[in-house]
Amino acid sequence: MYFYSLTDNAGVINMDELTDVDKAKMERDQKKIEVKLERWMTSKCCTEFMEAVQAGVEEDTLVKGIAEDKNPFKELKGGCVVC
Amino acid sequence: MGEMEELRKEADNLKDQITEARKVVQDTTLQEAVAGTTLVGRVQLKTRKTLRGHLAKIYAMHWGTDTNCSKLCVSASQDGKLIVWDTLTTNKVNAIPLKSSWVMTCAYAPSGNMVACGGLDNMCSIYNLKGKDGNVKVMRELAAHTGYLSCCRFLNDSEIITSSGDCTCILWDIETGTEKTIFAGHLGDCMSLAVSPDFKMFISGACDFTAKLWDIREATCRQTFSGHESDINAIGFFPNGNAVITGSDDATCKLYDLRADQELITYQDSGIMCGVTSLAASLSGRLLLAGYDDFNVNIWDMLKAERVGVLAGHDNRVSCIGVSSDGMACCTGSWDSFLKIWN
């Protein structure tokens, strides 16, 4: 019994209706899928993670800040806002 | 041996194999890898705007992403209203009355044409913002979940994904109002979901303390991430889509890398003992902004896992947080009924 995907005119899955055996089967089948995953070395992942962050940090307003006159959220002093 | 026992034994065996496989690829920790980098400077954001108008607790907010609405956001409150705000002027673009005031989530479609919400009514209601006569009306009511709607996110104008207290997530066809795919596997209420930047995957965080990565079109669960010691309330993708960030009632946030299939680091401090309610990453991913039950937002350096700032300004729990798609500002929503824009 597989409950991962039902297409078109699918019935509702009511988790309350699944028996403990159903849930245990789902769990076992899911782990069979996950055990086969090809995993990268964490060193490679960490390097890529660091590079991704450094690459974007100069354009990151929350990190670098923004000049008052360039800030679109600056206080609107006087004038009118036409929407 | 009974069938249950056999199944449990098989699953435990497989889980042990997965734990081993994860150890085998762990040749360094993120802490070691970033030893040479400098901590980002102290981050002091100011409240630039306060969005006033809701009359009760705010439970959710979501920024628009399309260039036409990158400064618009939608918020949902238990005063029974969805409000679309122009954050630059603080004007209310739309104030939409809801059938059910017990709303827990809201979402802005990437196109800017629709918003959605849902909650204790177990339904996801879709509203068309661009109707012919200018009135905002319910377009669809998506009903099939047998538990509360905790989160919803549009893929496009015809598809939306929802997560529910019934432990499942559903991909819907908005046009026909029917379920395309049901994603089952979590053993506890699904509390939050996030869609990958390429729209091919989504992640869900649940009260079974795990996060799951789902392939939308294959309709399968690819990976399951454990480690949290309590409910996961908030979840998000790292901006490049290669990692997942979670926030939990165990007072920590965690970063999981999808390719290594494991946790890279935990964001925690002995001084923080209350649950994480919400989170958002800054544009580059350098900062993690996380809302907590103690009314504050802590800002973390994602590389060094140290706190570099605090947003203090709300008088009650921060229930939701979001960073605009251009990274220019972050928005916090609170049980104090206000939203604040910071940068």
Side-chain angles (χ1 to χ4, degrees):
Chain A
M1 291 193 290
Y2 292 92
F3 298 95
Y4 295 118
S5 72
L6 300 166
T7 51
D8 298 333
N9 304 313
V12 174
I13 278 195
N14 193 334
M15 290 299 283
D16 296 334
E17 282 169 19
L18 292 182
T19 64
D20 284 343
V21 172
D22 293 333
K23 289 184 189 175
K25 276 190 187 156
M26 270 173 74
E27 176 80 344
R28 190 262 327 258
D29 292 344
Q30 179 56 33
K31 293 308 159 198
K32 273 189 176 169
I33 296 175
E34 291 176 10
V35 79
K36 295 187 192 142
L37 194 69
E38 274 188 42
R39 296 171 176 82
W40 287 22
M41 302 302 288
T42 54
S43 53
K44 185 169 183 206
C45 298
C46 289
T47 306
E48 279 207 20
F49 181 70
M50 281 162 54
E51 282 171 1
V53 168
Q54 320 284 35
V57 87
E58 292 305 311
E59 270 82 53
D60 192 336
T61 305
L62 298 181
V63 175
K64 294 287 164 184
I66 187 166
E68 181 71 26
D69 57 347
K70 295 216 170 67
N71 191 350
F73 295 97
K74 66 171 176 273
E75 242 184 276
L76 303 169
K77 294 184 171 84
C80 298
V81 176
V82 181
C83 313
Chain B
M1 218 189 294
E3 196 184 5
M4 262 314 277
E5 274 187 59
E6 259 197 60
L7 288 169
R8 286 245 169 87
K9 205 166 169 239
E10 259 196 271
D12 285 344
N13 202 313
L14 290 162
K15 282 182 196 174
D16 287 342
Q17 287 179 50
I18 292 171
T19 304
E20 258 318 295
R22 283 171 170 161
K23 278 202 190 122
V24 163
V25 298
Q26 196 184 38
D27 59 339
T28 188
T29 64
L30 184 61
Q31 248 151 340
E32 289 162 5
V34 301
T37 63
T38 334
L39 188 66
V40 80
R42 183 122 199 102
V43 175
Q44 283 170 314
L45 305 183
K46 295 201 182 113
T47 301
R48 303 293 175 182
K49 309 282 176 185
T50 298
L51 307 179
R52 298 182 169 86
H54 278 302
L55 303 171
K57 295 175 175 171
I58 290 170
Y59 274 80
M61 69 77 50
H62 195 212
W63 284 97
T65 42
D66 182 73
T67 35
N68 293 331
C69 50
S70 67
K71 298 294 190 293
L72 301 183
C73 71
V74 62
S75 61
S77 161
Q78 292 204 344
D79 62 5
K81 293 243 168 41
L82 275 192
I83 298 181
V84 178
W85 307 85
D86 178 331
T87 59
L88 293 180
T89 59
T90 74
N91 290 340
K92 299 173 188 52
V93 179
N94 302 104
I96 306 164
L98 306 174
K99 268 192 199 174
S100 163
S101 61
W102 303 111
V103 67
M104 296 173 68
T105 182
C106 62
Y108 216 132
S111 64
N113 293 333
M114 304 169 184
V115 289
C117 68
L120 295 184
D121 58 356
N122 298 0
M123 289 196 312
C124 182
S125 301
I126 314 283
Y127 293 84
N128 184 358
L129 297 178
K130 307 286 163 86
K132 280 184 203 143
D133 55 1
N135 281 334
V136 175
K137 284 190 289 233
V138 180
M139 218 183 95
R140 285 288 177 276
E141 282 173 341
L142 308 173
H145 278 301
T146 53
Y148 59 86
L149 207 84
S150 52
C151 195
C152 56
R153 285 293 178 259
F154 285 91
L155 292 183
N156 48 58
D157 280 4
S158 37
E159 292 173 308
I160 191 167
I161 301 182
T162 56
S163 62
S164 168
D166 69 11
C167 309
T168 70
C169 296
I170 294 180
L171 168 69
W172 302 84
D173 178 328
I174 296 175
E175 231 109 329
T176 59
T178 58
E179 313 93 89
K180 274 185 164 174
T181 310
I182 299 175
F183 300 89
H186 274 300
L187 299 171
D189 299 16
C190 292
M191 298 303 292
S192 187
L193 79 96
V195 179
S196 65
D198 66 6
F199 293 93
K200 291 182 182 168
M201 313 268 187
F202 77 94
I203 39 173
S204 55
C207 293
D208 60 7
F209 312 172
T210 71
K212 282 179 177 287
L213 174 74
W214 308 87
D215 184 317
I216 298 175
R217 302 306 161 190
E218 299 281 303
T220 54
C221 171
R222 288 265 198 100
Q223 293 166 250
T224 303
F225 301 98
S226 330
H228 275 298
E229 294 167 358
S230 189
D231 302 354
I232 293 176
N233 298 317
I235 200 162
F237 270 96
F238 180 72
N240 70 4
N242 290 333
V244 165
I245 315 163
T246 52
S248 165
D249 270 349
D250 69 9
T252 75
C253 293
K254 286 178 185 290
L255 175 75
Y256 295 96
D257 189 293
L258 299 184
R259 282 87 50 88
D261 184 46
Q262 59 190 274
E263 176 189 323
L264 287 189
I265 202 153
T266 297
Y267 303 93
Q268 64 189 341
D269 185 307
S270 54
I272 303 174
M273 289 172 296
C274 56
V276 178
T277 60
S278 48
L279 60 82
S282 70
L283 190 68
S284 65
R286 186 65 201 255
L287 302 178
L288 169 62
L289 297 100
Y292 292 74
D293 278 343
D294 66 359
F295 312 172
N296 288 330
V297 171
N298 287 314
I299 305 178
W300 299 85
D301 176 329
M302 282 204 78
L303 290 183
K304 306 288 278 181
E306 286 183 41
R307 267 198 293 179
V308 292
V310 172
L311 299 183
H314 283 291
D315 294 327
N316 207 322
R317 179 188 287 192
V318 172
S319 55
C320 50
I321 190 165
V323 171
S324 62
S325 52
D326 56 11
M328 298 230 82
C330 105
C331 176
T332 52
S334 167
W335 281 11
D336 69 9
S337 82
F338 303 117
L339 294 136
K340 287 179 184 285
I341 309 291
W342 311 74
N343 70 8

